[in-house]
Amino acid sequence: MRQKIVAGNWKMNKTFQEGKALTSELVGMINDEVRGNVKVILCVPFPYLDTVRSLVGQSSRISVGAQNCSEHASGAYTGEVAASMLKSIEIPSVIIGHSERRQYFAEAGVLLAKKVDIALANGLTPIYCCGEPLEVRERNEHETLVRKQVEESLFHLSAEAIQQVVIAYEPVWAIGTGKTATAQQAQDMHAVIRQHLAGKYGKTVAETITILYGGSVNAGNANELFACPDVDGGLVGGASLKSREFTDIIKAMKA
Ligand code: PGA
């Protein structure tokens, strides 16, 4: 059975005080209401990581993730945060290659492969994001592009290492737009990704890899999306900022 995950991506939102309040509300609601073995990851801004981790406490269900890390180990890189720093405050996962990083910070291919490597070397789970912009889907080249994104940043990994990675498929046109992919579109692309993984690593390995869907997931569409056989959970932006809605999304993931 693949691990089911619902991850919240706060992006650059919430003050410290608001973030603490949201975390406390979420911990209460999740502990009271969520059953099964779905895991929840709160991907919060760097300055909040240590505090949010303390607020989450010893929960076996909820953990905390970062939204990015440097490709470098350490040194003179002003403003950057190293994977080893995340490890040193016991953060177990990190989003890598989010489409906003690709779009606004020109992150791509080889650079993202380095970030994946350094995250893994520090024992972190990379949540590797891929997904096509609208014009690529309109040209019907979305499958080719997503296969390439997976290939260029992940296919150098060993079969053992790739099984430590979580993949998030997030069509760019669905992120923050309120326009979600249909369950069929999500399932189709997840199946394409899994087949691609199977082609490289074999079916058994591909079957173990968790693939999340992201892009305007909300309490209204989560049930249908999460019911798809190759959708193993969600990466949730806007709706993860509201405790009631995020908890309802987590409850939609039957695991
Ligand atoms: P959204 O963001 O849920 O607000 O569309 C998803 C993401 O960017 O991870």
Side-chain angles (χ1 to χ4, degrees), residues 96 112-122 126 153 156-157:
I96 289 179
L112 295 175
K114 287 187 190 158
K115 292 192 177 202
V116 167
D117 286 347
I118 203 149
L120 287 170
N122 284 281
S153 303
H156 63 291
L157 297 173

Side-chain angles (χ1 to χ4, degrees), residues 238-251:
S240 76
L241 300 172
K242 298 172 231 157
S243 53
R244 179 71 268 155
E245 180 154 25
F246 190 52
T247 305
D248 287 344
I249 292 170
I250 298 162
K251 285 161 74 179

Side-chain angles (χ1 to χ4, degrees), residues 34-78:
V34 178
R35 301 286 166 260
N37 72 4
V38 57
K39 299 261 192 250
V40 178
I41 307 175
L42 305 179
C43 299
V44 308
F46 288 130
Y48 309 167
L49 284 168
D50 194 40
T51 302
V52 170
R53 192 186 50 75
S54 305
L55 287 172
V56 164
Q58 296 305 309
S59 167
S60 56
R61 185 187 298 287
I62 316 171
S63 68
V64 180
Q67 299 172 13
N68 181 32
C69 70
S70 171
E71 70 276 26
H72 301 291
S74 66
Y77 300 101
T78 301

Side-chain angles (χ1 to χ4, degrees), residues 82-124:
S84 61
M85 296 173 178
L86 300 175
K87 180 184 179 189
S88 72
I89 56 165
E90 295 168 40
I91 297 302
S93 49
V94 56
I95 297 175
I96 289 179
H98 189 279
S99 69
E100 287 147 18
R101 303 286 322 167
R102 293 177 188 262
Q103 192 177 346
Y104 306 130
F105 303 93
E107 296 191 359
V110 176
L111 172 85
L112 295 175
K114 287 187 190 158
K115 292 192 177 202
V116 167
D117 286 347
I118 203 149
L120 287 170
N122 284 281
L124 298 163

Side-chain angles (χ1 to χ4, degrees), residues 9 11 98-100 170 174-178 214-217 235-239:
N9 175 11
K11 309 191 182 185
H98 189 279
S99 69
E100 287 147 18
E170 300 203 299
I175 296 178
T177 57
S216 297
V217 176
L235 179 53
V236 184

